[in-house]
Amino acid sequence: MRLPRSVETADVRGKVVLVRSDLNVPLDDGQIADDTRIRASLPTIRLLLDGGAAEVRVCSHLGRPKGPDERYAMAPVRARVAELVGDGRVSVLENTRFNEGETANDPGFAHELASGCDLYVNDAFGSAHRAHSSTVGVAEILPAYAGLLLLDELVHLGRLLGEVERPFVIVSGGAKVEDKIGVLEHLGGRADEVLIGGKMAEDVRAGNPFSFDVVLPTDVVAASAFEADAETRVTAFDALPDGWPGHENGPATREDFAHRIAAARTVFWNGPMGVFEWPAFAEGTFAVARAVAGCEGFTVVGGGDSVRAVHEAGVSDRISWISTGGGASLELLEGKELPGVAAIPA
Ligand code: 3PG
Ligand code: MG
C-alpha cells in the first residue's frame, strides 16, 4: 500500500497548521458518549505543539447535519479537547458540515478553511473515504501531510488486505445499512464467514442481497415499539410478530456468533448487533465484543458504535487493533484508495 508522507517529515516551527481530525464522536443528549476518536487524535496535535507550531486549528464534522444545527455544534468536543490538551495555541473550528460546501468538496469552502494556514495535516482516518472540502479540497491548496493516526490505521488495517490467517470472519451490523451493502459485497467474498446482525439483518431479512452466503440470526429480541423500555419477546428470526421490530440478536444467535468468532484466526467487526445504547438490547452486541476479545487471532474492530461497545463491555485492551474508522475501514478493506489519503503526496 502506498503510504502518504508523514507529518513527522514537516517543519512546523512557527507555522499555522490546519489539522483535519475525525472528532465525529457518538453523542447522548449532547454529551460525548465515547471520546476514543478525540483521544486518538491527540498524538498528532501534541507532535505539532512540541514541534513549535504557532497555531493548530483542528477541524472536523460531527454527525450528519445539512447546514447549521445546534444539536451538532462542536462545543462539547471543543471543551474535551481543551481539557485534554490545555494549550492556548489549539483551537477547534465549528462543524465543517455547517457549511453546505463541505460535502460537495466546494473549493470556496476549502479556501476558507485554508485561509491563514501554512500547512495541512490530515489525521481523519474515519473520514478519509469522503472527498470533502476538509479532507480533499484543502490538500490541493496547502502542502499536505498525513497525521500519526491516519498512518497507524493504514499500517494496521493493511494487515487485513493481504494474505490473512484463516478462518477470516467478518461481523457486520449497525444502522448505516445503505453505506455498507455495496462495500460488504466486495469485502465479504474474501472472508470465510460473514455474520450479520442488528438493523442490517432486519434489512436483509427479505432476501440475501449478496453473492455469497451470510450467517443471519436465528432468533431475535423483538420489541413492541422502538423505545428503550418497550415490552420485549425472544422470537425466531423468521417469525416476528406483526409490528414488532427486531432489536437485537437473541440468546441462541449470541452463542452461535460467539462460537464462530472463537474459531476464527482473523476477525473484522463493524457495527453493533442492535440498539445497545438501551440496556434491554445490549447483550447481543456485548456478546460479540467479548467473543472478539476472547479470539486468539488478529482482531480488528472499526466504527464509532462498535468501538464504544468494546469499551462499555470492558474488553478494549484485548482487541488487536481498534480502528477509529467505520465506513473508511470498510472501503480500505474493499481495496479502494481512500480520497483523503490519495490527496496527500507520498
Ligand atoms: C464515521 O463516523 O463513519 C465518519 O466520521 C464519517 O462520517 P459520515 O459517515 O457521516 O461521513
Ligand atoms: Mg460512516
Side-chain angles (χ1 to χ4, degrees):
M1 189 187 349
R2 184 196 78 103
L3 286 180
R5 66 181 177 186
S6 169
V7 60
E8 289 169 297
T9 66
D11 178 10
V12 303
R13 187 158 301 278
K15 303 271 170 62
V16 177
V17 185
L18 177 70
V19 180
R20 176 44 158 111
S21 301
D22 189 329
L23 308 178
N24 181 27
V25 291
L27 295 173
D28 259 349
D29 290 330
Q31 306 288 320
I32 296 167
D34 180 86
D35 67 359
T36 305
R37 280 178 164 174
I38 298 177
R39 290 178 186 276
S41 303
L42 298 182
T44 292
I45 296 172
R46 293 203 172 108
L47 181 85
L48 294 167
L49 294 172
D50 291 347
E55 211 189 299
V56 177
R57 297 181 192 171
V58 186
C59 67
S60 176
H61 75 287
L62 179 62
R64 291 180 169 179
K66 298 273 175 282
D69 182 336
E70 266 319 297
R71 291 171 299 170
Y72 300 104
M74 292 302 279
V77 172
R78 184 177 296 127
R80 181 64 56 91
V81 170
E83 199 179 294
L84 294 170
V85 181
D87 189 302
R89 289 174 291 167
V90 178
S91 60
V92 176
L93 308 185
E94 192 43 276
N95 193 335
T96 50
R97 289 187 185 170
F98 282 8
N99 189 307
E100 280 157 37
E102 162 74 337
T103 55
N105 190 12
D106 169 47
F109 182 49
H111 277 280
E112 206 178 293
L113 285 170
S115 156
C117 299
D118 303 304
L119 288 180
Y120 169 67
V121 177
N122 189 352
D123 204 24
F125 174 73
S127 309
H129 58 318
R130 305 296 183 209
H132 295 171
S133 298
S134 69
T135 58
V136 169
V138 283
E140 285 153 15
I141 301 168
L142 296 170
Y145 294 85
L148 302 175
L149 173 63
L150 181 73
L151 287 165
D152 250 9
E153 291 271 16
L154 294 176
V155 168
H156 284 93
L157 286 168
R159 269 186 70 174
L160 295 180
L161 277 173
E163 279 303 305
V164 294
E165 263 197 83
R166 293 183 181 276
F168 176 19
V169 171
I170 292 174
V171 189
S172 191
K176 296 177 182 173
V177 180
E178 69 288 357
D179 288 15
K180 288 179 193 165
I181 299 263
V183 181
L184 254 193
E185 174 58 32
H186 289 274
L187 178 57
R190 298 188 47 232
D192 298 294
E193 277 187 328
V194 177
L195 319 183
I196 293 182
K199 173 104 172 27
M200 185 141 192
E202 294 302 312
D203 283 34
V204 306
R205 173 193 301 282
N208 177 5
F210 304 107
S211 59
F212 45 85
D213 290 336
V214 294
V215 179
L216 289 170
T218 51
D219 61 348
V220 295
V221 179
S224 55
F226 191 76
E227 281 163 14
D229 56 359
E231 194 188 326
T232 66
R233 205 184 281 176
V234 174
T235 73
F237 181 65
D238 54 8
L240 275 176
D242 262 356
W244 283 57
H247 269 23
E248 71 147 338
N249 296 346
T253 303
R254 291 172 208 159
E255 209 171 301
D256 177 45
F257 280 21
H259 277 125
R260 293 173 192 270
I261 293 165
R265 296 299 305 161
T266 306
V267 178
F268 176 70
W269 175 30
N270 169 271
M273 297 292 105
V275 215
F276 75 101
E277 304 89 312
W278 294 342
F281 308 104
E283 199 41 42
T285 298
F286 289 163
V288 166
R290 286 193 294 267
V292 175
C295 172
E296 281 164 21
F298 179 62
T299 56
V300 178
V301 176
D305 291 313
S306 325
V307 170
R308 174 182 169 190
V310 154
H311 287 302
E312 287 180 5
V315 298
S316 44
D317 57 342
R318 291 195 287 141
I319 309 290
S320 311
W321 180 250
I322 295 181
S323 174
T324 52
S329 53
L330 289 171
E331 290 198 24
L332 182 77
L333 296 180
E334 191 186 343
K336 281 191 184 160
E337 191 174 41
L338 305 176
V341 175
I344 308 168

